[in-house]
Amino acid sequence: MEVEVKLRLPSAEAHAKIAKLLEPNHEVTHLQENVFFDGANEELSANRAILRFRFFNGDDKCIITVKKKTILTDGVGRSEELEEEIEPALARACVVEPSKVLTAGSPLLNQMVSEYKCTGFKCLGGFKNVRHVYHWNDHKIELDETQYDHGTVYELECESTEPDRLKALLEEFLSAHGIAYAYSTSTKFANFKNRTLI
Protein backbone atom coordinates (compact mmCIF):
# COMPACT_ATOMS: atom_id res chain seq x y z
CA MET A 1 0.00 0.00 0.00
CA GLU A 2 1.36 3.38 -1.04
CA VAL A 3 0.27 6.31 1.15
CA GLU A 4 1.16 9.83 -0.01
CA VAL A 5 0.45 13.35 1.11
CA LYS A 6 -0.38 15.37 -2.01
CA LEU A 7 -0.59 19.17 -1.85
CA ARG A 8 -1.44 21.27 -4.90
CA LEU A 9 0.48 24.50 -5.50
CA PRO A 10 -1.24 27.41 -7.24
CA SER A 11 1.54 28.61 -9.54
CA ALA A 12 5.05 28.34 -10.93
CA GLU A 13 6.03 31.07 -8.47
CA ALA A 14 4.98 28.96 -5.46
CA HIS A 15 6.85 25.99 -6.92
CA ALA A 16 10.00 28.09 -7.43
CA LYS A 17 9.82 29.50 -3.89
CA ILE A 18 9.71 26.01 -2.37
CA ALA A 19 12.57 24.88 -4.61
CA LYS A 20 14.68 27.79 -3.38
CA LEU A 21 13.85 27.10 0.29
CA LEU A 22 14.69 23.42 -0.03
CA GLU A 23 17.74 23.82 -2.28
CA PRO A 24 20.26 22.94 0.51
CA ASN A 25 18.47 19.58 0.87
CA HIS A 26 18.27 18.76 -2.84
CA GLU A 27 19.11 15.15 -3.69
CA VAL A 28 18.27 14.62 -7.36
CA THR A 29 16.09 15.83 -10.22
CA HIS A 30 14.35 13.33 -12.49
CA LEU A 31 12.95 14.06 -15.93
CA GLN A 32 10.10 11.57 -16.10
CA GLU A 33 8.00 10.43 -19.02
CA ASN A 34 4.85 8.57 -17.99
CA VAL A 35 3.04 6.33 -20.49
CA PHE A 36 -0.19 4.47 -19.66
CA PHE A 37 -1.84 1.35 -20.99
CA ASP A 38 -5.23 -0.30 -20.70
CA GLY A 39 -6.42 -3.71 -21.77
CA ALA A 40 -7.69 -3.87 -25.34
CA ASN A 41 -11.21 -4.19 -23.91
CA GLU A 42 -10.56 -1.78 -21.01
CA GLU A 43 -10.10 -4.63 -18.54
CA LEU A 44 -7.84 -2.51 -16.29
CA SER A 45 -9.97 0.63 -16.07
CA ALA A 46 -13.06 -1.52 -15.47
CA ASN A 47 -11.33 -2.80 -12.33
CA ARG A 48 -9.86 0.57 -11.23
CA ALA A 49 -6.34 -0.53 -12.11
CA ILE A 50 -3.67 1.54 -13.88
CA LEU A 51 -0.61 0.33 -15.78
CA ARG A 52 2.17 2.90 -16.12
CA PHE A 53 5.59 2.78 -17.74
CA ARG A 54 7.80 5.53 -16.31
CA PHE A 55 10.97 6.46 -18.18
CA PHE A 56 13.69 8.35 -16.29
CA ASN A 57 15.94 10.93 -17.94
CA GLY A 58 15.26 9.69 -21.44
CA ASP A 59 16.02 5.99 -21.43
CA ASP A 60 18.29 5.74 -18.37
CA LYS A 61 15.74 3.54 -16.59
CA CYS A 62 12.13 2.41 -16.84
CA ILE A 63 9.83 1.30 -14.03
CA ILE A 64 6.55 -0.54 -14.59
CA THR A 65 3.91 0.35 -11.99
CA VAL A 66 0.51 -1.19 -11.41
CA LYS A 67 -1.78 0.87 -9.16
CA LYS A 68 -5.09 -0.46 -7.92
CA LYS A 69 -8.12 1.14 -6.31
CA THR A 70 -6.62 4.58 -5.67
CA ILE A 71 -8.44 6.78 -3.15
CA LEU A 72 -7.58 10.48 -2.67
CA THR A 73 -9.17 12.18 0.35
CA ASP A 74 -8.17 15.41 2.13
CA GLY A 75 -4.82 15.49 0.36
CA VAL A 76 -3.87 11.90 1.21
CA GLY A 77 -3.72 9.31 -1.55
CA ARG A 78 -3.84 5.57 -0.90
CA SER A 79 -3.43 2.81 -3.47
CA GLU A 80 -2.22 -0.72 -3.83
CA GLU A 81 1.02 -0.50 -5.78
CA LEU A 82 3.38 -3.00 -7.41
CA GLU A 83 6.58 -2.05 -9.24
CA GLU A 84 9.22 -3.71 -11.37
CA GLU A 85 12.12 -2.47 -13.49
CA ILE A 86 12.16 -3.26 -17.21
CA GLU A 87 14.74 -2.70 -19.93
CA PRO A 88 14.01 0.74 -21.44
CA ALA A 89 14.39 -0.54 -25.02
CA LEU A 90 11.78 -3.25 -24.40
CA ALA A 91 9.47 -0.71 -22.76
CA ARG A 92 9.79 1.60 -25.78
CA ALA A 93 8.92 -1.31 -28.04
CA CYS A 94 5.74 -1.86 -25.98
CA VAL A 95 4.78 1.79 -26.44
CA VAL A 96 5.15 1.49 -30.21
CA GLU A 97 3.49 -1.92 -30.37
CA PRO A 98 1.29 -2.48 -27.27
CA SER A 99 0.75 -6.16 -28.09
CA LYS A 100 4.36 -6.70 -26.93
CA VAL A 101 3.15 -6.16 -23.33
CA LEU A 102 1.80 -9.71 -23.54
CA THR A 103 5.18 -11.19 -24.42
CA ALA A 104 7.58 -8.86 -22.58
CA GLY A 105 8.46 -11.60 -20.10
CA SER A 106 7.95 -9.38 -17.05
CA PRO A 107 6.63 -11.25 -13.99
CA LEU A 108 4.53 -8.23 -13.00
CA LEU A 109 3.02 -7.88 -16.47
CA ASN A 110 2.36 -11.62 -16.63
CA GLN A 111 0.61 -11.43 -13.24
CA MET A 112 -1.54 -8.54 -14.43
CA VAL A 113 -2.47 -10.29 -17.69
CA SER A 114 -3.54 -13.34 -15.70
CA GLU A 115 -5.44 -11.37 -13.05
CA TYR A 116 -7.43 -9.21 -15.46
CA LYS A 117 -7.69 -11.73 -18.33
CA CYS A 118 -6.17 -9.30 -20.83
CA THR A 119 -5.92 -10.58 -24.40
CA GLY A 120 -4.30 -7.40 -25.72
CA PHE A 121 -3.32 -3.86 -24.77
CA LYS A 122 -3.67 -0.32 -26.04
CA CYS A 123 -1.42 2.66 -25.30
CA LEU A 124 -3.28 5.65 -23.88
CA GLY A 125 -0.42 8.15 -24.20
CA GLY A 126 0.86 10.10 -21.24
CA PHE A 127 2.60 13.19 -19.92
CA LYS A 128 5.95 14.46 -18.66
CA ASN A 129 6.96 15.40 -15.15
CA VAL A 130 9.98 17.21 -13.71
CA ARG A 131 10.52 15.87 -10.19
CA HIS A 132 12.89 17.52 -7.72
CA VAL A 133 13.63 15.30 -4.71
CA TYR A 134 14.65 16.73 -1.33
CA HIS A 135 15.51 15.25 2.07
CA TRP A 136 13.49 17.16 4.67
CA ASN A 137 12.79 16.27 8.32
CA ASP A 138 13.55 12.57 7.72
CA HIS A 139 11.20 12.54 4.74
CA LYS A 140 11.74 12.49 0.98
CA ILE A 141 9.80 15.38 -0.51
CA GLU A 142 8.99 15.34 -4.23
CA LEU A 143 8.33 18.70 -5.89
CA ASP A 144 6.59 18.13 -9.23
CA GLU A 145 5.99 20.16 -12.36
CA THR A 146 3.60 18.00 -14.39
CA GLN A 147 3.36 18.94 -18.06
CA TYR A 148 0.20 17.84 -19.89
CA ASP A 149 -0.70 18.72 -23.46
CA HIS A 150 -3.49 20.87 -21.99
CA GLY A 151 -1.54 22.66 -19.24
CA THR A 152 0.83 22.39 -16.28
CA VAL A 153 0.19 21.48 -12.65
CA TYR A 154 2.48 21.99 -9.63
CA GLU A 155 2.38 19.66 -6.66
CA LEU A 156 4.22 18.62 -3.51
CA GLU A 157 4.18 14.91 -2.66
CA CYS A 158 5.63 12.82 0.14
CA GLU A 159 5.13 9.19 1.13
CA SER A 160 4.56 8.45 4.81
CA THR A 161 3.21 5.83 7.18
CA GLU A 162 1.89 8.76 9.27
CA PRO A 163 0.24 10.96 6.63
CA ASP A 164 -1.78 13.14 9.01
CA ARG A 165 1.30 14.04 11.05
CA LEU A 166 3.33 14.72 7.90
CA LYS A 167 0.55 16.79 6.36
CA ALA A 168 0.48 19.00 9.46
CA LEU A 169 4.27 19.50 9.24
CA LEU A 170 4.10 20.42 5.57
CA GLU A 171 1.21 22.79 6.11
CA GLU A 172 3.12 24.50 8.92
CA PHE A 173 6.20 24.83 6.69
CA LEU A 174 4.26 26.29 3.76
CA SER A 175 2.20 28.65 5.91
CA ALA A 176 5.32 29.92 7.70
CA HIS A 177 6.74 31.00 4.34
CA GLY A 178 3.50 32.45 2.98
CA ILE A 179 3.08 29.80 0.31
CA ALA A 180 -0.50 29.04 -0.72
CA TYR A 181 -1.57 25.44 -1.23
CA ALA A 182 -4.62 23.21 -1.39
CA TYR A 183 -5.28 19.52 -0.96
CA SER A 184 -4.94 17.69 -4.26
CA THR A 185 -8.34 16.44 -5.38
CA SER A 186 -7.31 14.56 -8.51
CA THR A 187 -4.48 12.18 -9.36
CA LYS A 188 -2.07 12.92 -12.18
CA PHE A 189 -3.56 10.09 -14.21
CA ALA A 190 -7.12 11.38 -13.71
CA ASN A 191 -6.05 14.84 -14.90
CA PHE A 192 -4.44 13.24 -17.95
CA LYS A 193 -7.42 11.02 -18.75
CA ASN A 194 -10.06 13.74 -18.21
CA ARG A 195 -7.96 16.60 -19.63
CA THR A 196 -8.39 18.57 -16.40
CA LEU A 197 -6.03 20.57 -14.17
CA ILE A 198 -7.84 20.17 -10.85
Side-chain angles (χ1 to χ4, degrees), residues 136-162:
W136 179 81
N137 282 3
D138 296 323
H139 294 283
K140 187 169 286 190
I141 289 182
E142 297 167 343
L143 183 61
D144 288 347
E145 178 184 340
T146 306
Q147 303 160 350
Y148 304 101
D149 288 342
H150 55 281
T152 302
V153 166
Y154 303 94
E155 198 170 34
L156 192 65
E157 297 186 348
C158 189
E159 290 188 36
S160 177
T161 56
E162 300 179 281

Side-chain angles (χ1 to χ4, degrees), residues 33 38 43-44 102 125:
E33 181 184 348
D38 200 350
E43 294 92 340
L44 303 186
L102 289 170

Side-chain angles (χ1 to χ4, degrees), residues 7 11 48 50 66 84 94 109 130 147 149 154 158 188 193:
L7 302 179
S11 64
R48 293 180 55 209
I50 297 169
V66 176
E84 182 178 288
C94 290
L109 292 177
V130 181
Q147 303 160 350
D149 288 342
Y154 303 94
C158 189
K188 289 181 174 66
K193 185 178 179 182

Side-chain angles (χ1 to χ4, degrees), residues 8 24 75 85 116 129 138:
R8 180 62 56 85
E85 191 164 348
Y116 296 109
N129 186 53
D138 296 323

Side-chain angles (χ1 to χ4, degrees), residues 7-10 14 17-18 21-22 136 141 156 166-183:
L7 302 179
R8 180 62 56 85
L9 305 172
K17 188 170 183 178
I18 294 172
L21 288 167
L22 295 178
W136 179 81
I141 289 182
L156 192 65
L166 173 61
K167 188 167 66 170
L169 287 173
L170 288 171
E171 289 177 343
E172 182 180 356
F173 168 74
L174 295 173
S175 296
H177 291 93
I179 300 170
Y181 66 91
Y183 296 155

Side-chain angles (χ1 to χ4, degrees), residues 185-198:
T185 59
S186 180
T187 65
K188 289 181 174 66
F189 175 73
N191 274 324
F192 160 70
K193 185 178 179 182
N194 301 323
R195 295 189 63 81
T196 55
L197 298 173
I198 59 175

Side-chain angles (χ1 to χ4, degrees), residues 8 21 31 34-35 40 49 55 62 65 77 101 110 122 131-132 135 138-140 145 148 178 182-183:
R8 180 62 56 85
L21 288 167
L31 304 180
N34 302 279
V35 182
F55 297 89
C62 183
T65 301
V101 173
N110 291 343
K122 56 185 176 182
R131 171 164 287 175
H132 303 287
H135 185 78
D138 296 323
H139 294 283
K140 187 169 286 190
E145 178 184 340
Y148 304 101
Y183 296 155

Side-chain angles (χ1 to χ4, degrees), residues 1-160:
M1 179 69 70
E2 179 193 54
V3 181
E4 278 187 316
V5 175
K6 299 168 73 71
L7 302 179
R8 180 62 56 85
L9 305 172
S11 64
E13 290 74 20
H15 176 279
K17 188 170 183 178
I18 294 172
K20 185 174 181 180
L21 288 167
L22 295 178
E23 179 59 32
N25 307 103
H26 180 257
E27 290 188 356
V28 67
T29 295
H30 296 299
L31 304 180
Q32 302 174 338
E33 181 184 348
N34 302 279
V35 182
F36 298 89
F37 296 81
D38 200 350
N41 297 305
E42 302 184 355
E43 294 92 340
L44 303 186
S45 54
N47 288 281
R48 293 180 55 209
I50 297 169
L51 172 60
R52 180 186 72 205
F53 284 20
R54 173 172 282 170
F55 297 89
F56 290 80
N57 306 316
D59 287 340
D60 283 355
K61 181 171 73 170
C62 183
I63 299 291
I64 301 170
T65 301
V66 176
K67 289 194 176 192
K68 305 177 184 180
K69 298 179 173 62
T70 298
I71 297 171
L72 180 56
T73 306
D74 295 331
V76 178
R78 293 177 170 85
S79 61
E80 299 175 40
E81 181 179 275
L82 298 169
E83 289 189 329
E84 182 178 288
E85 191 164 348
I86 187 175
E87 283 294 326
L90 178 56
R92 291 289 184 192
C94 290
V95 173
V96 174
E97 192 177 336
S99 63
K100 290 184 181 293
V101 173
L102 289 170
T103 58
S106 152
L108 178 55
L109 292 177
N110 291 343
Q111 174 187 332
M112 189 191 57
V113 168
S114 175
E115 181 176 352
Y116 296 109
K117 307 295 188 289
C118 298
T119 57
F121 285 87
K122 56 185 176 182
C123 181
L124 305 177
F127 55 84
K128 295 182 179 179
N129 186 53
V130 181
R131 171 164 287 175
H132 303 287
V133 182
Y134 305 90
H135 185 78
W136 179 81
N137 282 3
D138 296 323
H139 294 283
K140 187 169 286 190
I141 289 182
E142 297 167 343
L143 183 61
D144 288 347
E145 178 184 340
T146 306
Q147 303 160 350
Y148 304 101
D149 288 342
H150 55 281
T152 302
V153 166
Y154 303 94
E155 198 170 34
L156 192 65
E157 297 186 348
C158 189
E159 290 188 36
S160 177

